[in-house]
Amino acid sequence: MPRRSPSIRRTVFAITLGVVSVFLLASSLVSMAVFSSIVSESVLAQAREINKQIVMNFESYASNIIETANTIQYASASLDVDRDASALSELYRVDTETKKDVIAVYLFDQEGRLVAGEGINPGLYPQPKARQWFISAMQRGDIYNFSSRGESSIARGREEEVIDLSRKVSFTRDHNAESGVLLVELNYDVITDLARRTNLGQFGHLLILSDKGDLLYSSEAGPERMTALSAPIAAGMYLGEKRVSLAGTDMFINVTTLTPTRWLIATVSNINALKVAMYRLGALLIAIFLLSIGVSALVAALHSLSVSRPINQLISAMQLVESGDFSTPVVATGPEEIIALSDSFNTMVRKVQELMLTLVGQQRDKRKLELQMLQNQINPHFLYNTLDSIVWLAERERNADVIQTVVSLARFFRISISKGESFIPVADEISHVSNYLTIQRIRYGDRFVYSIRIDEALKDLKIMKLVLQPLVENAIYHGIGEEGGEIGIEGRLEGEAMYFSVRNNGYGITETRIQEMYQSMRGEAGHKSVGIRNVYQRLKLYYGEAADISISSILDESTTVTLKIPRQVPEEAS
Amino acid sequence: MKKPLRLLSLFCLALCLLSCSSKSRLVGLFIYDEQDPFIEAFARQIVTDSKGLFSVQEYDAGGSQLIQNQQIDSLLKRKPALVMVNPVDRLGAFAIVRRLKAADVPVIFFNRQPLQDDIELWNRTYYVGDRAEQSGRFEANLVMHLFGDNPKKLNEYDRNGDGVIQAIILKGEQGHQDAEARTNEVLRCFAERGFKLEILAVRIADWSYDEAYTKMGRLLAQYKDRIELVISNNDAMALGAIRRMREGGFFADIDANGHVDRHGRSWVPVVGIDGLPEAIQSVKNGFLYGTVKNDSDTMARSMVNLARAVIADPADPQPLPVLQDGHYLWVDYQPFVAQE
């Protein structure tokens, strides 16, 4: 048996679904990748832009302050602090008043003594030389130093937290060039003000770190939970950008320097929206994917069904034909190939059917002919015997018997021929049998008696000719012994069937023998009981199932053969 | 048949990229602002000198340290062998050094000198530049030479013969490291040699030609006949001042021989620093007395040589130039005056 490929339906389904799945998956992945890079690029670009704006705000502020400080420094260097002391203090005062961020301006000499500036609170500030801003300024003479947080103003009556901007400067005192330290106190709140204008999203915050990485400022309100996480990362980055997850939130950290200070400024922006967008897109893509797979599975199933259903219809129609039903034509729907196929199949079945009918008809005709010939074969044998007995009667000069025998023989033959008719009235058939019995009785020397009882209703009905005589012939041969016997012929009408029985009172026959006779009749085994088989075959051939022969016997008493013949002559035969 | 070929070529490409990145010859060149012609020309010189040695990727910060920081951070993804940085803000260099140290990419700073602390954060940090003090000293020397090299007896250029030189100082940016250093060094040198200097005025002109031109107008109105010397922190301001002085009747061609005459009251020595082509031309024409050339050709070559030595394959070592303190490579200024 050759290896079977999977069914068309399954193949079409699998291929369609497979191709669709692969393409869908590929396009989903590609669109995911493209979308994710576009979205993340735009979100990050936005975060960068915000960072840039913030840093520029701070830078522009810082540059402003440096410019102010430069002006002050220049003025300090140009004016003689002794001769122009009042002018210098006035300049400091104006700067303090016009610039709200500037709380106070002071000039100290190398020893930390106040040279210019008003309103200092000596109690709050006993030792300028020891302060960080003073030391830094003297150490790094060429730059402005920004202090860390946590200092309070040294001006009288001011308690604000300040950022100290200090620088080593040169000034002239009494015509002598000296160096000292210029201190500009800035309100710490400016950083808070600048930071407040930022929008970095939920949990987003701004950090300012010293050049050592120490946290100077965080815009995060409250206990600075996020800052505790972000500040070490920012300090470790020095500069650049990084995506991190802080306490489960996606953040984008951007660190850069804050010109012109020694500080680092870091913005920590919330880009969780990116993750959310990705999740949404992922969910959407999966939904689209599943839906598409579902739809294409359905379409594939329907499509494969449209191919396979007509084929399956064709197959079941063929199975019908296989089991012998040629009458149901295949009605196929679907693709034209299938319709063409079913049309061809129908044509083929019709042809086969026609051929079969022809063959069957031919076979039956042939069989009828054979039986006809068989029937005709009997007659010469009987004729020979009868002529023999006529000769015997004539030799004994039993003229009356010769005459009766010859007359009976003539009638017998006339009915036998019956102008070629196959069906004759029951009266004629009975007459045929009684002629036969008359001849035989003369021949057998009256060793048997017979009786014929036929319903009047039967007499005009037609019956297939020459069905009783072989049975009677059998009854005489097997039923009449040396001591003589009786032959009883009866005919009756029961409903639609005629029953004719031929009974003899011989020894009877066994059940086994009866079964053998049935088998012989049906042509299944043996070639005994030729006469009865001939009758049986002819009845079946013309009347079909409705006709039958039954045999019954009571040992040492009688044997009866009964014919059942439909009342109606078969149409085909009439 | 095509597929395996394509795969093979991809594989080769990947291999090449891998090998390229493992022995990167990519050098990042970061300049603070390409609008500055000096820096732009200097960058061109570095690119020219680097030909055949390494591929230079140039970045312009447009005057923003923020942008320069981003540029450096983004280049690091391409794993450069070295970067050359002309910082916008020298105070921010510490962040750059720390970032590069973490990525193990050596750095050569130039043109703006970071703080010493920042340079010393890592032993693969270098600075190539000139010393602002040296330019100031050379500038002072030019002037002292003109006045006869003898503080006790100034020559004819002490127009009023009082033994003191009446001078105007044009400073660059207030608070700018170079402006302060140059000015201080000039004054220190005069004092050291015993030359007496009376500073009529110090004016801030932000390194600018136009600014100097404007400020000089007011100075002339105030000090016109007393000015014996103009010391400028750079050439651009010197040239701007000369333009204004010429409009005010200075630098006359007395004998009308097509050349400015020094030996008249109208000629006042103006000195600059940088050696711009316009300044050299002005010196040759007799207006500008002298300038101190910032030797950018030598500097560019020195940077390329240093870079070459720093990133050299250990199998093919290159001689490392002599460095001061392991970090600094100094390029000398060169005084430039007209040949008498």
Side-chain angles (χ1 to χ4, degrees):
Chain A
M1 191 169 174
R3 202 174 60 87
R4 280 189 139 175
S5 320
S7 71
I8 290 179
R9 183 175 164 190
R10 236 174 264 162
T11 309
V12 169
F13 182 79
I15 288 176
T16 310
L17 208 59
V19 168
V20 169
S21 302
V22 166
F23 274 91
L24 265 179
L25 198 65
S27 62
S28 295
L29 289 178
V30 166
S31 49
M32 183 84 186
V34 169
F35 182 84
S36 110
S37 83
I38 289 173
V39 168
S40 72
E41 203 34 63
S42 88
V43 168
L44 297 187
Q46 197 189 347
R48 269 184 216 115
E49 194 51 42
I50 290 173
N51 166 271
K52 197 171 165 184
Q53 286 305 321
I54 292 169
V55 174
M56 277 165 64
N57 283 344
F58 273 88
E59 281 185 352
S60 103
Y61 174 76
S63 302
N64 240 325
I65 288 296
I66 296 283
E67 210 168 281
T68 305
N70 273 337
T71 319
I72 295 170
Q73 184 200 356
Y74 180 54
S76 308
S78 318
L79 298 170
D80 188 306
V81 292
D82 272 357
R83 285 182 292 177
D84 307 312
S86 60
L88 201 55
S89 287
E90 176 67 11
L91 179 84
Y92 290 0
R93 200 178 58 76
V94 167
D95 272 313
T96 312
E97 279 172 10
T98 53
K99 301 208 162 50
K100 70 178 172 64
D101 320 327
V102 179
I103 290 179
V105 182
Y106 299 110
L107 180 63
F108 297 90
D109 68 10
Q110 291 190 69
E111 301 307 315
R113 290 180 297 249
L114 184 69
V115 176
E118 293 172 339
I120 195 163
N121 183 341
L124 281 174
Y125 225 65
Q127 255 312 344
K129 254 185 105 171
R131 305 306 291 231
Q132 190 55 48
W133 56 262
F134 194 94
I135 297 165
S136 301
M138 293 308 278
Q139 269 175 356
R140 282 198 188 132
D142 54 350
I143 63 166
Y144 282 100
N145 292 280
F146 286 81
S147 75
S148 306
R149 67 198 296 189
E151 299 275 355
S152 293
S153 173
I154 56 169
R156 203 179 297 132
R158 304 295 292 258
E159 282 161 8
E160 292 100 326
E161 202 177 338
V162 294
I163 298 164
D164 292 321
L165 178 64
S166 62
R167 178 165 188 167
K168 183 181 179 186
V169 294
S170 53
F171 61 92
T172 34
R173 179 152 63 179
D174 204 11
H175 300 290
N176 291 318
E178 282 189 33
S179 60
V181 173
L182 181 74
L183 172 69
V184 179
E185 283 188 345
L186 299 169
N187 195 330
Y188 185 78
D189 288 345
V190 294
I191 292 184
T192 319
D193 285 346
L194 283 168
R196 196 182 297 136
R197 282 179 239 155
T198 62
N199 177 22
L200 296 165
Q202 196 190 12
F203 304 129
H205 54 280
L206 180 150
L207 303 172
I208 293 178
L209 306 165
S210 77
D211 56 342
K212 305 280 186 297
D214 303 325
L215 181 66
L216 301 183
Y217 170 76
S218 166
S219 71
E220 189 182 4
E224 304 196 345
R225 262 186 334 108
M226 282 295 196
T227 306
L229 300 169
S230 62
I233 299 175
M237 284 167 63
Y238 313 117
L239 59 85
E241 53 188 47
K242 200 183 250 179
R243 286 175 68 167
V244 293
S245 177
L246 299 182
T249 309
D250 274 8
M251 295 294 217
F252 186 57
I253 304 184
N254 213 317
V255 187
T256 192
T257 52
L258 181 52
T259 306
T261 70
R262 296 276 291 163
W263 291 347
L264 292 171
I265 182 165
T267 53
V268 185
S269 326
N270 187 331
I271 52 164
N272 219 38
L274 190 61
K275 195 163 75 181
V276 173
M278 286 295 114
Y279 282 158
R280 274 205 202 126
L281 175 75
L284 189 69
L285 280 179
I286 288 170
I288 290 175
F289 181 75
L290 291 180
L291 192 72
S292 308
I293 288 290
V295 167
S296 44
L298 199 67
V299 169
L302 287 177
H303 180 63
S304 61
L305 206 61
S306 79
V307 172
S308 68
R309 191 172 46 197
I311 292 178
N312 286 338
Q313 284 174 348
L314 217 53
I315 289 170
S316 47
M318 285 174 175
Q319 280 166 349
L320 268 180
V321 172
E322 227 174 274
S323 67
D325 178 1
F326 287 84
S327 56
T328 316
V330 181
V331 184
T333 52
E336 55 182 300
E337 291 89 346
I338 297 295
I339 291 175
L341 192 59
S342 69
D343 285 350
S344 302
F345 180 74
N346 282 340
T347 309
M348 186 191 80
V349 168
R350 204 171 55 244
K351 287 257 171 71
V352 167
Q353 202 178 2
E354 281 169 13
L355 197 62
M356 263 170 56
L357 287 175
T358 312
L359 270 175
V360 168
Q362 280 174 357
Q363 284 296 319
R364 192 161 46 200
D365 290 350
K366 195 178 161 197
R367 187 108 184 89
K368 278 180 190 170
L369 208 61
E370 276 173 13
L371 290 167
Q372 207 79 47
M373 283 169 72
L374 272 173
Q375 184 190 321
N376 291 341
Q377 267 175 9
I378 306 164
N379 292 337
H381 184 64
F382 168 66
L383 184 59
Y384 167 75
N385 287 340
T386 307
L387 288 174
D388 217 22
S389 82
I390 290 171
V391 171
W392 186 81
L393 286 173
E395 282 171 359
R396 305 278 181 291
E397 292 184 348
R398 287 165 60 177
N399 290 340
D401 285 342
V402 169
I403 289 165
Q404 192 174 12
T405 303
V406 171
V407 168
S408 291
L409 190 62
R411 281 184 188 160
F412 178 86
F413 276 111
R414 195 175 61 238
I415 291 170
S416 284
I417 294 162
S418 299
K419 300 172 191 163
E421 296 282 344
S422 289
F423 291 82
I424 56 174
V426 171
D428 284 357
E429 179 71 11
I430 295 300
S431 163
H432 182 255
V433 169
S434 68
N435 283 319
Y436 175 76
L437 281 166
T438 305
I439 295 166
Q440 291 295 57
R441 197 160 174 271
I442 293 168
R443 197 184 145 211
Y444 278 80
D446 299 330
R447 278 220 308 269
F448 67 87
V449 292
Y450 71 89
S451 64
I452 296 176
R453 283 208 308 276
I454 300 296
D455 286 356
E456 276 306 308
L458 282 173
K459 297 239 166 111
D460 290 332
L461 295 175
K462 283 200 167 179
I463 188 177
M464 193 168 77
K465 71 177 183 185
L466 309 185
V467 289
L468 289 175
Q469 182 268 330
L471 305 186
V472 173
E473 188 178 324
N474 257 14
I476 291 169
Y477 281 137
H478 301 294
I480 309 301
E482 291 301 316
E483 70 277 26
E486 281 178 27
I487 303 284
I489 297 168
E490 284 180 17
R492 65 182 194 279
L493 184 64
E494 276 181 26
E496 288 301 305
M498 298 180 282
Y499 291 88
F500 296 95
S501 60
V502 178
R503 188 178 58 84
N504 66 67
N505 63 342
Y507 302 114
I509 50 176
T510 62
E511 184 59 31
T512 314
R513 170 74 185 130
I514 291 173
Q515 290 307 319
E516 279 177 12
M517 286 175 73
Y518 279 141
Q519 285 183 354
S520 172
M521 268 166 19
R522 291 196 291 267
E524 287 166 5
H527 280 281
K528 295 169 183 171
S529 318
V530 175
I532 203 169
R533 190 178 74 177
N534 193 0
V535 172
Y536 180 82
Q537 299 271 337
R538 279 166 60 214
L539 284 176
K540 288 287 176 188
L541 196 58
Y542 286 100
Y543 288 100
E545 292 303 310
D548 205 2
I549 294 178
S550 59
I551 303 166
S552 64
S553 180
I554 302 168
L555 283 176
D556 290 333
E557 206 165 291
S558 68
T559 301
T560 308
V561 177
T562 308
L563 296 181
K564 180 192 174 196
I565 297 171
R567 159 188 187 150
Q568 203 67 40
V569 173
E571 276 177 35
E572 194 193 345
S574 59
Chain B
M1 283 308 282
K2 271 183 175 174
K3 215 173 194 179
L5 264 176
R6 204 176 303 160
L7 277 175
L8 195 72
S9 60
L10 264 174
F11 180 70
C12 289
L13 189 71
L15 208 71
C16 167
L17 282 174
L18 260 171
S19 64
C20 291
S21 64
S22 65
K23 276 172 68 182
S24 169
R25 307 298 284 179
L26 174 64
V27 167
L29 174 60
F30 298 88
I31 61 170
Y32 89 102
D33 191 352
E34 66 181 2
Q35 299 294 323
D36 181 333
F38 171 75
I39 279 295
E40 176 57 16
F42 186 63
R44 290 277 72 73
Q45 192 60 45
I46 289 177
V47 171
T48 308
D49 291 349
S50 304
K51 281 229 171 74
L53 297 173
F54 31 74
S55 71
V56 176
Q57 175 80 44
E58 196 180 337
Y59 293 88
D60 168 34
S64 162
Q65 187 61 53
L66 171 64
I67 290 172
Q68 189 170 66
N69 289 346
Q70 284 177 353
Q71 288 170 339
I72 292 171
D73 187 53
S74 76
L75 180 72
L76 287 182
K77 286 172 196 142
R78 290 171 55 193
K79 304 223 178 299
L82 176 139
V83 291
M84 298 174 171
V85 181
N86 160 219
V88 181
D89 169 25
R90 68 193 198 97
L91 297 183
F94 73 95
I96 297 173
V97 174
R98 287 200 163 123
R99 179 77 184 83
L100 293 173
K101 185 181 178 183
D104 195 28
V105 175
V107 52
I108 300 174
F109 287 103
F110 64 99
N111 188 253
R112 271 205 185 84
Q113 187 182 351
L115 299 183
Q116 192 182 342
D117 290 356
D118 297 346
I119 289 282
E120 287 172 356
L121 280 171
W122 188 30
N123 61 5
R124 300 189 80 189
T125 306
Y126 307 93
Y127 178 72
V128 175
D130 42 46
R131 272 170 289 196
E133 296 81 12
Q134 188 186 48
S135 65
R137 189 161 71 248
F138 284 0
E139 198 174 32
N141 286 346
L142 285 178
V143 172
M144 291 187 287
H145 179 71
L146 180 73
F147 280 86
D149 272 334
N150 185 355
K152 303 287 177 225
K153 188 177 176 300
L154 299 180
N155 59 18
E156 53 171 335
Y157 294 107
D158 177 19
R159 301 291 184 193
N160 61 5
D162 64 352
V164 179
I165 304 169
Q166 276 74 31
I168 282 174
I169 294 176
L170 295 175
K171 268 177 88 171
E173 241 170 276
Q174 174 64 33
H176 189 287
Q177 166 201 20
D178 283 1
E180 301 296 340
R182 284 173 183 176
T183 310
N184 290 340
E185 186 63 14
V186 167
L187 298 179
R188 197 188 63 78
C189 286
F190 279 115
E192 190 178 70
R193 294 279 303 278
F195 279 84
K196 289 200 184 73
L197 209 61
E198 184 190 356
I199 298 167
L200 297 174
V202 178
R203 287 291 177 272
I204 310 281
D206 288 340
W207 308 112
S208 150
Y209 180 97
D210 293 338
E211 195 73 19
Y213 173 84
T214 311
K215 296 234 156 117
M216 200 62 199
R218 285 189 228 127
L219 289 169
L220 287 182
Q222 200 174 346
Y223 304 109
K224 181 166 181 165
D225 296 328
R226 298 179 62 196
I227 302 171
E228 290 174 348
L229 173 67
V230 176
I231 300 171
S232 170
N233 277 172
N234 76 344
D235 283 342
M237 293 190 294
L239 295 174
I242 286 173
R243 165 109 187 277
R244 187 67 187 83
M245 287 166 78
R246 283 176 69 188
E247 288 171 12
F250 285 86
F251 302 111
D253 180 10
I254 297 167
D255 51 14
N257 64 353
H259 197 272
V260 178
D261 292 295
R262 279 192 184 179
H263 304 287
R265 210 43 200 132
S266 81
W267 190 84
V268 170
V270 180
V271 284
I273 296 174
D274 277 350
L276 294 184
E278 298 88 334
I280 302 295
Q281 194 54 49
S282 183
V283 170
K284 285 176 179 165
N285 291 347
F287 297 107
L288 185 64
Y289 162 58
T291 182
V292 181
K293 273 176 76 176
N294 187 331
D295 192 356
S296 56
D297 288 0
T298 305
M299 201 188 291
R301 209 163 42 246
S302 303
M303 281 178 64
V304 171
N305 285 337
L306 175 60
R308 208 177 156 189
V310 168
I311 65 175
D313 193 326
D316 176 28
Q318 300 289 322
L320 194 70
V322 179
L323 299 173
Q324 182 200 315
D325 302 332
H327 294 286
Y328 297 94
L329 180 62
W330 298 116
V331 178
D332 285 334
Y333 278 99
Q334 291 176 344
F336 182 84
V337 287
Q339 301 300 313
E340 293 275 340

